[in-house]
Amino acid sequence: MPSTTPAQAGSLLLMSREDNCLIARVDLKAGAVVAIDGRTVTLPGDVRLGHKVARRDLAPGDKVLRYGAIIGTATVPIAIGAHIHTHNLESDYIPTYTLEQDGHHFIGSKAP
């Protein structure tokens, strides 16, 4: 279980007030404690610099907004503070490539 450690103040950036994700301004470790809209949230996993974090709980099918524009659709429930990336977000504009558990084939592709 990761330990809880306060993250650097200002470690998350809101690009537009309509956004339901925030951008990591630094690498954040699982267990880091951050403030999201006045709530204290412990990050469940690592989030790398420039990656997205859920600003609120998202349900499958919810549109994810960055810069006030839709960038994709949540494919699974995403808790506040969770990392948003190709493992739980499908682009609405370009194909999203995610590997199968074997690490060699894309999900939905036919293995040779």
Short mmCIF file of all heavy atoms in Angstrom, two decimals, residues 28-82:
data_model
loop_
_atom_site.label_atom_id
_atom_site.label_comp_id
_atom_site.label_asym_id
_atom_site.label_seq_id
_atom_site.Cartn_x
_atom_site.Cartn_y
_atom_site.Cartn_z
N LEU A 28 3.80 12.68 -10.21
CA LEU A 28 3.13 12.44 -8.93
C LEU A 28 3.12 10.95 -8.65
O LEU A 28 2.87 10.13 -9.54
CB LEU A 28 1.68 12.96 -8.99
CG LEU A 28 1.55 14.46 -9.16
CD1 LEU A 28 0.12 14.84 -9.54
CD2 LEU A 28 1.97 15.18 -7.88
N LYS A 29 3.41 10.57 -7.42
CA LYS A 29 3.45 9.17 -7.01
C LYS A 29 2.13 8.74 -6.40
O LYS A 29 1.41 9.55 -5.80
CB LYS A 29 4.57 8.95 -5.99
CG LYS A 29 5.95 9.18 -6.54
CD LYS A 29 6.32 8.09 -7.47
CE LYS A 29 7.74 8.21 -7.98
NZ LYS A 29 8.01 7.30 -9.05
N ALA A 30 1.83 7.46 -6.52
CA ALA A 30 0.66 6.90 -5.84
C ALA A 30 0.77 7.25 -4.37
O ALA A 30 1.85 7.18 -3.78
CB ALA A 30 0.62 5.39 -6.03
N GLY A 31 -0.35 7.65 -3.78
CA GLY A 31 -0.37 8.03 -2.38
C GLY A 31 -0.18 9.51 -2.14
O GLY A 31 -0.36 9.99 -1.02
N ALA A 32 0.19 10.25 -3.19
CA ALA A 32 0.32 11.70 -3.04
C ALA A 32 -1.05 12.28 -2.70
O ALA A 32 -2.07 11.85 -3.23
CB ALA A 32 0.87 12.33 -4.31
N VAL A 33 -1.05 13.25 -1.80
CA VAL A 33 -2.28 13.91 -1.40
C VAL A 33 -2.35 15.26 -2.10
O VAL A 33 -1.42 16.07 -1.99
CB VAL A 33 -2.34 14.08 0.13
CG1 VAL A 33 -3.60 14.83 0.54
CG2 VAL A 33 -2.27 12.73 0.82
N VAL A 34 -3.43 15.46 -2.86
CA VAL A 34 -3.61 16.69 -3.63
C VAL A 34 -4.96 17.31 -3.29
O VAL A 34 -5.85 16.64 -2.78
CB VAL A 34 -3.52 16.42 -5.15
CG1 VAL A 34 -2.14 15.91 -5.53
CG2 VAL A 34 -4.59 15.45 -5.60
N ALA A 35 -5.09 18.59 -3.60
CA ALA A 35 -6.37 19.28 -3.46
C ALA A 35 -7.02 19.38 -4.83
O ALA A 35 -6.39 19.85 -5.78
CB ALA A 35 -6.17 20.67 -2.87
N ILE A 36 -8.25 18.88 -4.93
CA ILE A 36 -9.01 18.98 -6.18
C ILE A 36 -10.34 19.65 -5.84
O ILE A 36 -11.16 19.09 -5.12
CB ILE A 36 -9.25 17.59 -6.82
CG1 ILE A 36 -7.90 16.95 -7.20
CG2 ILE A 36 -10.17 17.71 -8.02
CD1 ILE A 36 -8.02 15.56 -7.80
N ASP A 37 -10.50 20.87 -6.31
CA ASP A 37 -11.71 21.65 -6.06
C ASP A 37 -12.07 21.69 -4.58
O ASP A 37 -13.22 21.51 -4.19
CB ASP A 37 -12.88 21.11 -6.89
CG ASP A 37 -12.70 21.32 -8.38
OD1 ASP A 37 -11.90 22.20 -8.77
OD2 ASP A 37 -13.34 20.60 -9.16
N GLY A 38 -11.05 21.91 -3.75
CA GLY A 38 -11.27 22.03 -2.32
C GLY A 38 -11.36 20.72 -1.57
O GLY A 38 -11.48 20.72 -0.34
N ARG A 39 -11.30 19.60 -2.27
CA ARG A 39 -11.33 18.27 -1.64
C ARG A 39 -9.91 17.74 -1.52
O ARG A 39 -9.09 17.92 -2.41
CB ARG A 39 -12.10 17.27 -2.50
CG ARG A 39 -13.59 17.34 -2.35
CD ARG A 39 -14.30 16.33 -3.22
NE ARG A 39 -14.08 14.94 -2.81
CZ ARG A 39 -14.58 13.91 -3.46
NH1 ARG A 39 -15.31 14.08 -4.55
NH2 ARG A 39 -14.36 12.69 -3.05
N THR A 40 -9.64 17.05 -0.43
CA THR A 40 -8.36 16.37 -0.27
C THR A 40 -8.50 14.99 -0.88
O THR A 40 -9.40 14.22 -0.51
CB THR A 40 -7.98 16.27 1.21
OG1 THR A 40 -7.90 17.59 1.75
CG2 THR A 40 -6.67 15.56 1.40
N VAL A 41 -7.63 14.67 -1.85
CA VAL A 41 -7.71 13.42 -2.59
C VAL A 41 -6.35 12.74 -2.55
O VAL A 41 -5.32 13.37 -2.79
CB VAL A 41 -8.12 13.68 -4.07
CG1 VAL A 41 -8.13 12.40 -4.87
CG2 VAL A 41 -9.48 14.38 -4.13
N THR A 42 -6.34 11.45 -2.26
CA THR A 42 -5.13 10.64 -2.32
C THR A 42 -5.09 9.95 -3.68
O THR A 42 -6.03 9.22 -4.03
CB THR A 42 -5.11 9.60 -1.18
OG1 THR A 42 -5.18 10.29 0.07
CG2 THR A 42 -3.82 8.78 -1.22
N LEU A 43 -4.03 10.18 -4.44
CA LEU A 43 -3.93 9.58 -5.77
C LEU A 43 -3.75 8.07 -5.68
O LEU A 43 -2.87 7.60 -4.96
CB LEU A 43 -2.76 10.20 -6.54
CG LEU A 43 -2.82 11.71 -6.77
CD1 LEU A 43 -1.61 12.16 -7.57
CD2 LEU A 43 -4.09 12.12 -7.47
N PRO A 44 -4.58 7.31 -6.40
CA PRO A 44 -4.49 5.85 -6.33
C PRO A 44 -3.32 5.27 -7.12
O PRO A 44 -2.94 4.12 -6.90
CB PRO A 44 -5.82 5.39 -6.93
CG PRO A 44 -6.24 6.49 -7.84
CD PRO A 44 -5.71 7.75 -7.22
N GLY A 45 -2.74 6.04 -8.03
CA GLY A 45 -1.63 5.55 -8.85
C GLY A 45 -0.72 6.67 -9.27
O GLY A 45 -1.02 7.85 -9.08
N ASP A 46 0.42 6.30 -9.83
CA ASP A 46 1.37 7.29 -10.33
C ASP A 46 0.76 8.06 -11.50
O ASP A 46 0.00 7.50 -12.30
CB ASP A 46 2.65 6.61 -10.83
CG ASP A 46 3.46 5.95 -9.73
OD1 ASP A 46 3.20 6.23 -8.54
OD2 ASP A 46 4.36 5.16 -10.07
N VAL A 47 1.13 9.33 -11.61
CA VAL A 47 0.70 10.17 -12.74
C VAL A 47 1.94 10.93 -13.19
O VAL A 47 2.56 11.65 -12.41
CB VAL A 47 -0.41 11.16 -12.33
CG1 VAL A 47 -0.83 12.00 -13.53
CG2 VAL A 47 -1.60 10.43 -11.74
N ARG A 48 2.27 10.77 -14.45
CA ARG A 48 3.47 11.42 -14.99
C ARG A 48 3.18 12.86 -15.41
O ARG A 48 2.05 13.22 -15.72
CB ARG A 48 4.00 10.62 -16.17
CG ARG A 48 4.47 9.24 -15.74
CD ARG A 48 5.19 8.55 -16.82
NE ARG A 48 6.17 9.45 -17.41
CZ ARG A 48 7.41 9.13 -17.71
NH1 ARG A 48 7.83 7.92 -17.49
NH2 ARG A 48 8.22 9.99 -18.26
N LEU A 49 4.23 13.64 -15.42
CA LEU A 49 4.18 15.03 -15.86
C LEU A 49 3.42 15.13 -17.18
O LEU A 49 3.67 14.38 -18.12
CB LEU A 49 5.60 15.55 -16.06
CG LEU A 49 5.77 16.89 -16.76
CD1 LEU A 49 5.29 18.02 -15.88
CD2 LEU A 49 7.22 17.11 -17.15
N GLY A 50 2.42 16.03 -17.24
CA GLY A 50 1.66 16.25 -18.46
C GLY A 50 0.47 15.34 -18.66
O GLY A 50 -0.32 15.54 -19.57
N HIS A 51 0.33 14.34 -17.78
CA HIS A 51 -0.80 13.41 -17.92
C HIS A 51 -2.02 13.94 -17.18
O HIS A 51 -1.94 14.83 -16.36
CB HIS A 51 -0.41 12.02 -17.41
CG HIS A 51 0.41 11.26 -18.39
ND1 HIS A 51 0.05 10.03 -18.86
CD2 HIS A 51 1.58 11.56 -18.99
CE1 HIS A 51 0.95 9.60 -19.72
NE2 HIS A 51 1.91 10.51 -19.81
N LYS A 52 -3.16 13.35 -17.49
CA LYS A 52 -4.45 13.82 -16.97
C LYS A 52 -4.85 13.06 -15.69
O LYS A 52 -4.57 11.88 -15.55
CB LYS A 52 -5.54 13.62 -18.02
CG LYS A 52 -5.30 14.43 -19.29
CD LYS A 52 -6.28 14.10 -20.38
CE LYS A 52 -6.12 12.72 -20.98
NZ LYS A 52 -4.82 12.43 -21.57
N VAL A 53 -5.55 13.79 -14.81
CA VAL A 53 -6.11 13.26 -13.57
C VAL A 53 -7.59 13.63 -13.56
O VAL A 53 -7.96 14.76 -13.93
CB VAL A 53 -5.40 13.89 -12.35
CG1 VAL A 53 -6.10 13.55 -11.06
CG2 VAL A 53 -3.94 13.49 -12.31
N ALA A 54 -8.43 12.71 -13.13
CA ALA A 54 -9.87 12.99 -13.08
C ALA A 54 -10.16 14.07 -12.04
O ALA A 54 -9.74 13.97 -10.89
CB ALA A 54 -10.65 11.73 -12.76
N ARG A 55 -10.90 15.08 -12.44
CA ARG A 55 -11.30 16.17 -11.55
C ARG A 55 -12.53 15.79 -10.72
O ARG A 55 -12.80 16.38 -9.67
CB ARG A 55 -11.60 17.42 -12.40
CG ARG A 55 -11.89 18.65 -11.61
CD ARG A 55 -12.08 19.83 -12.53
NE ARG A 55 -12.46 21.03 -11.80
CZ ARG A 55 -12.98 22.09 -12.36
NH1 ARG A 55 -13.17 22.13 -13.68
NH2 ARG A 55 -13.32 23.13 -11.63
N ARG A 56 -13.28 14.83 -11.21
CA ARG A 56 -14.46 14.30 -10.52
C ARG A 56 -14.62 12.85 -10.94
O ARG A 56 -13.94 12.39 -11.86
CB ARG A 56 -15.71 15.11 -10.85
CG ARG A 56 -16.07 15.09 -12.34
CD ARG A 56 -17.41 15.77 -12.58
NE ARG A 56 -17.77 15.81 -13.98
CZ ARG A 56 -18.33 14.81 -14.66
NH1 ARG A 56 -18.60 13.67 -14.07
NH2 ARG A 56 -18.64 14.96 -15.94
N ASP A 57 -15.50 12.12 -10.28
CA ASP A 57 -15.78 10.75 -10.69
C ASP A 57 -16.40 10.76 -12.08
O ASP A 57 -17.28 11.59 -12.38
CB ASP A 57 -16.74 10.07 -9.72
CG ASP A 57 -16.11 9.80 -8.35
OD1 ASP A 57 -14.88 9.68 -8.27
OD2 ASP A 57 -16.87 9.70 -7.37
N LEU A 58 -15.94 9.85 -12.93
CA LEU A 58 -16.47 9.73 -14.29
C LEU A 58 -17.02 8.32 -14.49
O LEU A 58 -16.44 7.35 -14.00
CB LEU A 58 -15.37 9.99 -15.33
CG LEU A 58 -14.71 11.37 -15.27
CD1 LEU A 58 -13.47 11.42 -16.13
CD2 LEU A 58 -15.71 12.44 -15.68
N ALA A 59 -18.12 8.23 -15.20
CA ALA A 59 -18.75 6.94 -15.50
C ALA A 59 -18.43 6.55 -16.93
O ALA A 59 -18.13 7.41 -17.77
CB ALA A 59 -20.27 7.04 -15.32
N PRO A 60 -18.50 5.24 -17.25
CA PRO A 60 -18.31 4.84 -18.64
C PRO A 60 -19.27 5.61 -19.54
O PRO A 60 -20.45 5.78 -19.21
CB PRO A 60 -18.63 3.35 -18.63
CG PRO A 60 -18.37 2.92 -17.23
CD PRO A 60 -18.76 4.10 -16.37
N GLY A 61 -18.76 6.12 -20.64
CA GLY A 61 -19.58 6.91 -21.56
C GLY A 61 -19.49 8.40 -21.34
O GLY A 61 -19.87 9.18 -22.22
N ASP A 62 -18.99 8.82 -20.17
CA ASP A 62 -18.82 10.27 -19.93
C ASP A 62 -17.76 10.82 -20.88
O ASP A 62 -16.74 10.18 -21.14
CB ASP A 62 -18.37 10.55 -18.49
CG ASP A 62 -19.49 10.46 -17.47
OD1 ASP A 62 -20.66 10.29 -17.88
OD2 ASP A 62 -19.18 10.55 -16.26
N LYS A 63 -18.00 12.00 -21.37
CA LYS A 63 -17.03 12.69 -22.23
C LYS A 63 -15.99 13.35 -21.33
O LYS A 63 -16.31 13.94 -20.30
CB LYS A 63 -17.71 13.75 -23.11
CG LYS A 63 -18.72 13.17 -24.08
CD LYS A 63 -18.07 12.20 -25.04
CE LYS A 63 -19.09 11.66 -26.05
NZ LYS A 63 -18.49 10.65 -26.93
N VAL A 64 -14.73 13.25 -21.72
CA VAL A 64 -13.63 13.88 -21.00
C VAL A 64 -13.29 15.18 -21.71
O VAL A 64 -13.09 15.19 -22.93
CB VAL A 64 -12.41 12.94 -20.90
CG1 VAL A 64 -11.24 13.65 -20.22
CG2 VAL A 64 -12.79 11.67 -20.14
N LEU A 65 -13.26 16.27 -20.95
CA LEU A 65 -12.98 17.59 -21.51
C LEU A 65 -11.63 18.10 -21.05
O LEU A 65 -11.30 18.03 -19.86
CB LEU A 65 -14.05 18.60 -21.07
CG LEU A 65 -15.39 18.47 -21.77
CD1 LEU A 65 -16.25 17.46 -21.06
CD2 LEU A 65 -16.08 19.80 -21.81
N ARG A 66 -10.85 18.58 -22.01
CA ARG A 66 -9.57 19.25 -21.75
C ARG A 66 -9.55 20.48 -22.65
O ARG A 66 -9.95 20.42 -23.80
CB ARG A 66 -8.42 18.31 -22.09
CG ARG A 66 -7.06 18.91 -21.83
CD ARG A 66 -5.98 17.89 -22.07
NE ARG A 66 -4.68 18.49 -21.87
CZ ARG A 66 -3.54 17.84 -21.98
NH1 ARG A 66 -3.54 16.56 -22.30
NH2 ARG A 66 -2.41 18.45 -21.78
N TYR A 67 -9.10 21.60 -22.13
CA TYR A 67 -9.15 22.88 -22.84
C TYR A 67 -10.59 23.26 -23.18
O TYR A 67 -10.85 23.94 -24.16
CB TYR A 67 -8.33 22.86 -24.13
CG TYR A 67 -6.88 22.47 -23.97
CD1 TYR A 67 -6.41 21.28 -24.49
CD2 TYR A 67 -5.99 23.31 -23.30
CE1 TYR A 67 -5.08 20.91 -24.35
CE2 TYR A 67 -4.67 22.95 -23.16
CZ TYR A 67 -4.21 21.76 -23.68
OH TYR A 67 -2.91 21.39 -23.55
N GLY A 68 -11.56 22.73 -22.43
CA GLY A 68 -12.96 23.02 -22.69
C GLY A 68 -13.53 22.27 -23.86
O GLY A 68 -14.65 22.53 -24.29
N ALA A 69 -12.77 21.33 -24.42
CA ALA A 69 -13.22 20.56 -25.59
C ALA A 69 -13.20 19.07 -25.28
O ALA A 69 -12.38 18.59 -24.48
CB ALA A 69 -12.30 20.84 -26.77
N ILE A 70 -14.10 18.33 -25.90
CA ILE A 70 -14.14 16.88 -25.72
C ILE A 70 -12.91 16.27 -26.37
O ILE A 70 -12.61 16.53 -27.53
CB ILE A 70 -15.42 16.29 -26.34
CG1 ILE A 70 -16.65 16.82 -25.62
CG2 ILE A 70 -15.38 14.76 -26.32
CD1 ILE A 70 -17.97 16.48 -26.31
N ILE A 71 -12.19 15.45 -25.59
CA ILE A 71 -11.03 14.76 -26.13
C ILE A 71 -11.25 13.26 -26.22
O ILE A 71 -10.47 12.56 -26.86
CB ILE A 71 -9.75 15.05 -25.32
CG1 ILE A 71 -9.90 14.57 -23.89
CG2 ILE A 71 -9.39 16.52 -25.41
CD1 ILE A 71 -8.60 14.51 -23.12
N GLY A 72 -12.29 12.75 -25.56
CA GLY A 72 -12.54 11.32 -25.60
C GLY A 72 -13.66 10.92 -24.67
O GLY A 72 -14.33 11.77 -24.07
N THR A 73 -13.83 9.59 -24.55
CA THR A 73 -14.91 9.02 -23.76
C THR A 73 -14.34 8.04 -22.75
O THR A 73 -13.50 7.19 -23.11
CB THR A 73 -15.90 8.27 -24.69
OG1 THR A 73 -16.37 9.19 -25.67
CG2 THR A 73 -17.07 7.71 -23.92
N ALA A 74 -14.78 8.14 -21.50
CA ALA A 74 -14.36 7.18 -20.47
C ALA A 74 -14.89 5.80 -20.84
O ALA A 74 -16.05 5.65 -21.21
CB ALA A 74 -14.88 7.61 -19.11
N THR A 75 -14.04 4.78 -20.73
CA THR A 75 -14.43 3.42 -21.07
C THR A 75 -14.76 2.58 -19.84
O THR A 75 -15.38 1.53 -19.96
CB THR A 75 -13.33 2.71 -21.87
OG1 THR A 75 -12.11 2.72 -21.09
CG2 THR A 75 -13.10 3.40 -23.21
N VAL A 76 -14.35 3.04 -18.67
CA VAL A 76 -14.60 2.37 -17.39
C VAL A 76 -14.84 3.45 -16.34
O VAL A 76 -14.54 4.62 -16.59
CB VAL A 76 -13.41 1.47 -16.97
CG1 VAL A 76 -13.18 0.33 -17.96
CG2 VAL A 76 -12.15 2.30 -16.80
N PRO A 77 -15.35 3.10 -15.16
CA PRO A 77 -15.45 4.11 -14.11
C PRO A 77 -14.06 4.66 -13.76
O PRO A 77 -13.09 3.90 -13.67
CB PRO A 77 -16.04 3.35 -12.92
CG PRO A 77 -16.69 2.15 -13.51
CD PRO A 77 -15.88 1.79 -14.71
N ILE A 78 -13.97 5.97 -13.60
CA ILE A 78 -12.71 6.63 -13.26
C ILE A 78 -12.98 7.48 -12.02
O ILE A 78 -13.81 8.38 -12.05
CB ILE A 78 -12.19 7.52 -14.41
CG1 ILE A 78 -12.05 6.72 -15.71
CG2 ILE A 78 -10.86 8.17 -14.02
CD1 ILE A 78 -11.74 7.57 -16.94
N ALA A 79 -12.29 7.18 -10.94
CA ALA A 79 -12.49 7.90 -9.68
C ALA A 79 -11.75 9.23 -9.69
O ALA A 79 -10.73 9.38 -10.38
CB ALA A 79 -11.99 7.05 -8.51
N ILE A 80 -12.25 10.18 -8.93
CA ILE A 80 -11.55 11.45 -8.77
C ILE A 80 -10.11 11.16 -8.37
O ILE A 80 -9.85 10.30 -7.53
CB ILE A 80 -12.27 12.36 -7.74
CG1 ILE A 80 -11.60 13.74 -7.69
CG2 ILE A 80 -12.34 11.71 -6.38
CD1 ILE A 80 -12.35 14.75 -6.84
N GLY A 81 -9.17 11.83 -9.02
CA GLY A 81 -7.76 11.66 -8.71
C GLY A 81 -7.07 10.56 -9.50
O GLY A 81 -5.85 10.45 -9.48
N ALA A 82 -7.84 9.76 -10.24
CA ALA A 82 -7.24 8.66 -11.00
C ALA A 82 -6.63 9.18 -12.30
O ALA A 82 -7.09 10.15 -12.89
CB ALA A 82 -8.28 7.59 -11.31
#
